[in-house]
C-alpha cells in the first residue's frame, strides 16, 4: 500500500473512531440523564403516594400500586428486606423506571414509563451515526487531497534523487519556502546534498584534467629521453614503463573530456565489418570474429560463423581467412555510429578480455546487425562490477588480472556519446560477456514528404 492510501486509511479510521467515541459519550450521557430524571420522578411520586397511603389507607389517584405484578424481582427482594429503592427494567409493557418501598407488609410501587425517552435516545443514536458518516464523507476527500499533495512532493523528491544517482547532477527539487514543513526540509536537504556532490565531483574532474595536462610536458621529455637511451634490457624496460605512463595520461585526459561532456559524436552510416576488423587489428591481439549469429539460438546463420575465423593473431597479422567476404566489405551491412569511437570501444573490450580473462576471445555480431558481443573464457566479471558498473582504478578480484581499470570506464563513456548501451554480464558456462547495442539509424524523410518549392515568377527589369 502506498503512502497516500495509508494516510487516507488513517484519516478515515481516525474520523470514524472520533465519531464513534463522540456517539458513545453522547449516548451514555443522554441515557444517564433520562434515567436520573425518571428515577427522581418515581421517588417523588412514591413519597407522595406513601404519605397519602399513611393518611387514608388507599392509593387511588396517587399513581402508586400495591403489590404490582410486574415489579422486578430484584426490587421486590430489596423491599422484602425493609428497604426502598429504584430499578430500570424492560418488561412486556416496555422500558420503565420502578420505585418501591414497604407499606404495612405490602409493596408500594410506582412505575414511570420510559418508552418515549428510549425512542428519543435511539433516534439520537441514529442521528449521531448519520452525522459521523457525513463528517467522514466531508473529511475523507480533504484527506485524499492532502495525502495526494504530500505523495506528489515525495515522489518528486524520490525521482530527483534517482536522477542524481543516475548522474544528472543538475537535477534539483527547488521546493517553495514553507515554514515548519518537513517535506520542504527534506527537499532542501536533497538539493544541498546534490549541490555539494556536484561541486565535489567537478573538483575531482578538474583535478584529474589538470594533473593529466600538467604531466604531458614532462612525459614528452621522458619519452624523448627514453628513445635516446642505448639499446639494452634496462633501456627496453624504461621505454615500456614510459609507454605505460603515457597511455595512462592519455586515458585520464580522455576520461576528463567524457566527464566534462566535451565529446561529441560524428554519427554517420558506416559498414560494421571493416570497423570491427580495424578495432581487432589495432589491438595486436587474437580475437575470433563471428557474424550473423541467430539471436537466442547460438547457431550460425552463415558460413563465416563457424568459429574458424581468427581475425588477427598475437602479432596483429591476418590468418588464413582473409576477411574479404561481403560482410567485411565497405558495401556490407551498415550501422549508425561514429566509427572512430566504435573502434575505441571494441578495442578496449578486446584488450580487457585478454588482460583480465582467458582465450579464446570472441567478438560476435547478432542477427540484427547492431548488437556486438565481446566474450572471453576466464573467471568472468566480479560481482562488484556487475552491480555498480566499471569504476576507474579498480580491476575487481585478483584473478581478473592487473591494470588501471580505465578501459571499461572509457568504453562506457564513449558508448554514451554515440547513443549506444554497454552491458556487462557473465556467461553460464564461464567467461565475461560485454554486450554493445548500437542505436538505430534515424528515419530519413521521403522525397514525397519534402515541401514543394514555389515556381519562380517572372523577373521584371
Amino acid at each position: 500500500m502506498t503512502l497516500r492510501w495509508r494516510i487516507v486509511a488513517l484519516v478515515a479510521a481516525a474520523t470514524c473512531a472520533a465519531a464513534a467515541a463522540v456517539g458513545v459519550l453522547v449516548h451514555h450521557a443522554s441515557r444517564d440523564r433520562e434515567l436520573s430524571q425518571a428515577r427522581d420522578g418515581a421517588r417523588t411520586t412514591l413519597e407522595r403516594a406513601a404519605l397519602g397511603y399513611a393518611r387514608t389507607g388507599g392509593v387511588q389517584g396517587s399513581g402508586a400500586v400495591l403489590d404490582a405484578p410486574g415489579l422486578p424481582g430484584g426490587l421486590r427482594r430489596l423491599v422484602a428486606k425493609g428497604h426502598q429503592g429504584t430499578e430500570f427494567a424492560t418488561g412486556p409493557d416496555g422500558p420503565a423506571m420502578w420505585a418501591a418501598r414497604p407499606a404495612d407488609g405490602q409493596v408500594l410501587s410506582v412505575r414511570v414509563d420510559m418508552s418515549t425517552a428510549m425512542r428519543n435516545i435511539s433516534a439520537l443514536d441514529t442521528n449521531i451515526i448519520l452525522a459521523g458518516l457525513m463528517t467522514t464523507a466531508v473529511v475523507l476527500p480533504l484527506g485524499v487531497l492532502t495525502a495526494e499533495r504530500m505523495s506528489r512532493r515525495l515522489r518528486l523528491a524520490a525521482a530527483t534523487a534517482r536522477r542524481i544517482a543516475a548522474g544528472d547532477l543538475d537535477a534539483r527539487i527547488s521546493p517553495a519556502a514553507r515554514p515548519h514543513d518537513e517535506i520542504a526540509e527534506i527537499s532542501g536537504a536533497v538539493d544541498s546534498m546534490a549541490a555539494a556532490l556536484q561541486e565535489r565531483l567537478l573538483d575531482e574532474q578538474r583535478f584529474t584534467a589538470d594533473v593529466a595536462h600538467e604531466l604531458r610536458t614532462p612525459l614528452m621529455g621522458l619519452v624523448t629521453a627514453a628513445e635516446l637511451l642505448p639499446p639494452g634490457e634496462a633501456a627496453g624496460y624504461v621505454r615500456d614503463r614510459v609507454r605505460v605512463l603515457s597511455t595512462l595520461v592519455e586515458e585520464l585526459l580522455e576520461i576528463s573530456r567524457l566527464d566534462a561532456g566535451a565529446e561529441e559524436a560524428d554519427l554517420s552510416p558506416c559498414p560494421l565489418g571493416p570497423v570491427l576488423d580495424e578495432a581487432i587489428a589495432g589491438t595486436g591481439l587474437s580475437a575470433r570474429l563471428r557474424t550473423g549469429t541467430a539471436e537466442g539460438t547460438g547457431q550460425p546463420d552463415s558460413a563465416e560463423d563457424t568459429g574458424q575465423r581468427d581475425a588477427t593473431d598475437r602479432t596483429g597479422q591476418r590468418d588464413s581467412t582473409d576477411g574479404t567476404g561481403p560482410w567485411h566489405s565497405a558495401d556490407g551491412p551498415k550501422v549508425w555510429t561514429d566509427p572512430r569511437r566504435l573502434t575505441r570501444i571494441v578495442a578496449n573490450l578486446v584488450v580487457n578480455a585478454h588482460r583480465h580473462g582467458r582465450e579464446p576471445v570472441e567478438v560476435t555480431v547478432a542477427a540484427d546487425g547492431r548488437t556486438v558481443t565481446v566474450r572471453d573464457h576466464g573467471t568472468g566479471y566480479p560481482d562488484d562490477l556487475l552491480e555498480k558498473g566499471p569504476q576507474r582504478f579498480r580491476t575487481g578480484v585478483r584473478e581478473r588480472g592487473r591494470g588501471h581499470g580505465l578501459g571499461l570506464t572509457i568504453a562506457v563513456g564513449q558508448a554514451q556519446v554515440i547513443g549506444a548501451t554497454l552491458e556487462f554480464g557473465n556467461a553460464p558456462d564461464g567467461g565475461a560477456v560485454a554486450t554493445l547495442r548500437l542505436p538505430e539509424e534515424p528515419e530519413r524523410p521521403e522525397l514525397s514528404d519534402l515541401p514543394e518549392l514555389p515556381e519562380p515568377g517572372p523577373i521584371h527589369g
Side-chain angles (χ1 to χ4, degrees):
M1 182 182 295
T2 61
L3 178 62
R4 175 179 58 184
W5 293 113
R6 290 179 183 177
I7 294 176
V8 170
L10 181 60
V11 170
T15 304
C16 294
V22 171
V24 170
L25 292 176
V26 172
H27 170 82
H28 284 288
S30 301
R31 187 175 184 275
D32 291 344
R33 185 181 68 252
E34 293 293 338
L35 293 178
S36 178
Q37 292 177 354
R39 184 177 291 108
D40 292 342
R43 286 174 178 172
T44 301
T45 302
L46 181 62
E47 292 296 332
R48 292 176 181 174
L51 292 176
Y53 178 78
R55 289 197 304 268
T56 62
V59 294
Q60 292 79 4
S62 63
V65 179
L66 289 173
D67 293 330
L71 186 67
L75 186 57
R76 187 182 298 275
R77 288 189 295 271
L78 180 65
V79 174
K81 295 179 181 180
H83 303 287
Q84 67 177 16
T86 59
E87 182 177 346
F88 173 77
T90 301
D93 297 331
M97 178 63 71
W98 289 86
R101 61 178 295 171
D104 296 337
Q106 294 178 310
V107 178
L108 181 63
S109 61
V110 174
R111 180 181 182 275
V112 178
D113 183 69
M114 296 191 66
S115 298
T116 302
M118 292 296 104
R119 282 196 298 271
N120 291 338
I121 292 177
S122 298
L124 178 62
D125 293 341
T126 302
N127 292 333
I128 291 175
I129 293 175
L130 293 177
L133 294 176
M134 292 177 62
T135 302
T136 303
V138 172
V139 172
L140 195 58
L142 298 177
V144 172
L145 180 61
T146 303
E148 175 62 25
R149 294 182 60 186
M150 294 175 59
S151 179
R152 188 185 308 115
R153 294 170 62 192
L154 290 174
R155 288 198 301 269
L156 175 61
T160 304
R162 284 192 291 268
R163 288 172 56 192
I164 295 172
D168 185 6
L169 299 181
D170 293 325
R172 296 292 186 274
I173 303 174
S174 301
R178 298 179 181 178
H180 310 294
D181 188 341
E182 289 80 3
I183 297 180
E185 292 180 4
I186 294 175
S187 302
V190 171
D191 285 352
S192 300
M193 178 191 67
L197 180 62
Q198 184 180 32
E199 184 64 26
R200 184 172 180 178
L201 290 178
L202 290 176
D203 290 341
E204 292 180 357
Q205 292 172 6
R206 285 192 293 266
F207 175 77
T208 302
D210 292 344
V211 169
H213 186 269
E214 294 298 327
L215 285 176
R216 295 189 73 178
T217 301
L219 183 60
M220 293 303 298
L222 283 176
V223 172
T224 303
E227 295 298 330
L228 296 177
L229 292 175
E233 182 179 355
Y237 180 79
V238 171
R239 293 191 187 98
D240 179 70
R241 293 299 90 192
V242 170
R243 189 180 307 110
V244 171
L245 181 59
S246 178
T247 301
L248 174 60
V249 171
E250 293 299 328
E251 289 179 346
L252 288 176
L253 285 173
E254 185 174 357
I255 287 178
S256 65
R257 291 193 299 269
L258 291 171
D259 290 341
E263 297 284 349
E264 294 184 2
D266 183 13
L267 301 177
S268 62
C270 62
L272 181 58
V275 173
L276 296 181
D277 284 337
E278 180 182 355
I280 297 173
T283 63
L285 301 171
S286 63
R288 182 180 300 167
L289 181 58
R290 296 184 174 187
T291 59
T293 302
E295 186 174 359
T297 65
Q299 299 298 325
D301 285 349
S302 66
E304 287 186 323
D305 191 15
T306 61
Q308 301 300 320
R309 168 172 161 67
D310 285 338
T312 57
D313 60 12
R314 287 286 182 180
T315 63
Q317 302 298 323
R318 295 289 180 180
D319 272 350
S320 58
T321 52
D322 57 4
T324 58
W327 193 86
H328 296 275
S329 66
D331 297 330
K334 297 183 179 181
V335 292
W336 184 257
T337 188
D338 185 333
R340 181 178 64 85
R341 299 183 189 277
L342 178 58
T343 300
R344 174 68 161 156
I345 295 171
V346 176
N348 279 17
L349 295 178
V350 171
V351 171
N352 183 82
H354 275 276
R355 179 175 296 169
H356 303 295
R358 285 198 299 268
E359 296 188 45
V361 175
E362 300 173 352
V363 180
T364 306
V365 181
D368 60 4
R370 296 186 298 105
T371 303
V372 180
T373 301
V374 179
R375 175 188 174 179
D376 63 50
H377 290 75
T379 59
Y381 292 117
D383 295 336
D384 186 62
L385 186 146
L386 296 178
E387 179 181 356
K388 301 179 182 179
Q391 301 181 39
R392 61 196 66 178
F393 299 111
R394 293 188 183 181
T395 58
V397 296
R398 182 176 302 176
E399 290 77 6
R400 288 287 298 170
R402 297 180 179 179
H404 300 125
L406 300 179
L408 294 183
T409 303
I410 293 175
V412 171
Q414 294 291 4
Q416 293 175 351
V417 172
I418 64 176
T421 59
L422 182 57
E423 300 175 353
F424 301 95
N426 291 327
D429 55 346
V433 180
T435 304
L436 177 67
R437 292 183 173 87
L438 300 173
E440 296 182 2
E441 183 176 357
E443 296 182 0
R444 299 180 181 180
E446 300 291 340
L447 293 178
S448 58
D449 297 335
L450 296 177
E452 296 183 0
L453 297 176
E455 295 183 0
I459 300 176
H460 300 281

